[in-house]
Amino acid sequence: MGGIGDEAPLGGIGRGEPVECAVRRFGQRMNFTCGRGGRGAPVGEERQATPLVPAPLTDLAPLLEQAERRWPRGVASISVSDPGTSRAVIELRERGGDSLIDRGASERQRFDGVTGEPLASPPPPETSGISATYNVFSSLHLLRFAGAPLRWFAFLSGLLGTAMIATGLVLWVVKRLPERQKLGRTPLGQRLVEALNVGTIAGLPLAIAIYFWANRLLPSALAQRADWEIRSFFIAWALCLIHPLLRPHKRAWIEQLQLAAVLFAALPVFGLGLPHSHLPAALLRGDWLLAGMDLTLLASAALLGYAAWKLARHQPAQRPQRQPRPARTTEASTT
């Protein structure tokens, strides 16, 4: 998907072609940002004065080759502001050094997006102590230094940690079930915990699925499109927290898990209508980044669907009723 504000790998784009965000370039991958209104490369006042008319994007291959000759480390990212218009600006960013401290301090080159002529480029920013601290912690958090195996290991470790917390929350409710059965009702505090468990454990994947759907369905010309994607996530999550208060506890679990499974599974199906972006095409050209996303969505859908199926079939074990103890009888001893 090449929506405004999206970030994805980029390769060479020819004149007049749509901005594709999942192709290869020289065997490397670069972050791509395409946007309007400041989401891509910043536009100067002289560019803002240019009449906004449709215009094809210049061929990026010569610009990338020129930048790679100048920068031994290569190109890290490319940004396009106002693509497909006369105000288009292309910005190439040098691949940073090996240190986490100077991330973001690389050199940049800007070009006219229609003619390919060089534009004035800002000097590399100086790395202050605050910026260096932020760069280190954010890079460690995002694993910018790690390769694919280490990132997958961190991802699986995060899933295990999440599963540990989720099972603890569920077991807290299950442990208090005998107390509720004795009372014949559910205390308010436990009812709130039940609703929060459903909205947090099942509702979070559902809200993430809504976020992905918003990324695909919101109009590309919508103002603050990226912000509305985030808002859709939090709106969906808030509804997932309210929903369990209005439905029986078990039904709320099943409904949210089923809906999340359907939405995740439908995302790759929706991609079949997009040229060069669907799963079979990605597999054929060996684009494992794009294919891995769809495969992960399908795996998530299968896992959520299996959880909903198991929960629907689950019958709580009947606690055996204690037999009343026979009354003690004392026999009178006779002498």
Side-chain angles (χ1 to χ4, degrees), residues 13-332:
I13 301 175
R15 175 179 291 273
E17 296 180 6
V19 179
E20 295 289 343
C21 298
V23 293
R24 295 181 180 272
R25 168 67 179 169
F26 300 139
Q28 300 177 354
R29 293 201 171 274
M30 292 169 283
N31 291 328
F32 173 73
T33 305
C34 172
R36 304 183 192 275
R39 289 292 296 176
V43 181
E45 296 181 359
E46 68 281 358
R47 302 292 298 177
Q48 291 287 2
T50 304
L52 187 62
V53 295
L57 190 68
T58 186
D59 187 4
L60 297 182
L63 306 183
L64 291 170
E65 292 173 356
Q66 176 182 340
E68 288 178 342
R69 286 196 300 267
R70 177 171 178 175
W71 297 327
R73 290 194 177 97
V75 180
S77 66
I78 178 171
S79 301
V80 180
S81 175
D82 293 318
T85 71
S86 56
R87 296 181 187 171
V89 175
I90 300 171
E91 179 181 282
L92 306 181
R93 186 184 294 269
E94 179 189 12
R95 189 176 300 277
D98 298 329
S99 174
L100 301 180
I101 295 177
D102 58 357
R103 187 177 65 85
S106 54
E107 187 179 357
R108 290 176 286 178
Q109 285 186 321
R110 290 181 182 172
F111 303 89
D112 188 299
V114 179
T115 65
E117 295 294 327
L119 300 176
S121 301
E126 296 183 1
T127 304
S128 63
I130 296 176
S131 298
T133 303
Y134 171 80
N135 288 342
V136 170
F137 280 99
S138 62
S139 298
L140 291 174
H141 175 68
L142 299 174
L143 293 177
R144 296 185 182 274
F145 61 91
L150 185 56
R151 291 192 178 198
W152 273 108
F153 176 77
F155 173 72
L156 295 176
S157 299
L159 287 182
L160 292 175
T162 303
M164 180 182 65
I165 296 173
T167 52
L169 294 173
V170 173
L171 289 176
W172 187 92
V173 174
V174 172
K175 186 177 180 180
R176 283 153 181 79
L177 183 59
E179 178 184 346
R180 290 167 44 190
Q181 292 175 340
K182 289 181 181 179
L183 292 174
R185 61 182 179 84
T186 302
L188 178 61
Q190 293 189 23
R191 179 61 178 150
L192 289 176
V193 172
E194 287 180 350
L196 290 174
N197 283 353
V198 178
T200 302
I201 300 172
L204 182 58
L206 178 55
I208 294 173
I210 294 294
Y211 173 82
F212 288 148
W213 275 105
N215 173 263
R216 286 153 176 78
L217 298 180
L218 288 177
S220 59
L222 178 66
Q224 299 181 338
R225 184 180 187 274
D227 294 334
W228 275 109
E229 293 176 6
I230 299 173
R231 289 169 190 162
S232 67
F233 167 82
F234 284 106
I235 291 172
W237 200 8
L239 293 176
C240 290
L241 293 171
I242 297 174
H243 169 256
L245 297 173
L246 308 177
R247 299 287 291 160
H249 181 52
K250 184 175 180 179
R251 288 306 310 168
W253 273 106
I254 296 174
E255 290 168 359
Q256 292 200 19
L257 289 172
Q258 287 178 338
L259 182 57
V262 170
L263 291 177
F264 273 117
L267 283 166
V269 177
F270 178 82
L272 293 175
L274 304 174
H276 312 297
S277 297
H278 52 81
L279 179 58
L283 291 174
L284 287 175
R285 67 173 179 264
D287 189 349
W288 289 106
L289 184 63
L290 184 60
M293 179 66 183
D294 282 351
L295 292 174
T296 302
L297 291 174
L298 292 175
S300 301
L303 183 61
L304 292 167
Y306 177 75
W309 177 75
K310 287 289 291 184
L311 186 58
R313 290 173 54 89
H314 177 262
Q315 296 294 334
Q318 298 292 334
R319 296 173 63 88
Q321 303 224 352
R322 294 183 178 179
Q323 298 293 334
R325 293 183 179 180
R328 286 188 175 183
T329 57
T330 58
E331 296 181 358

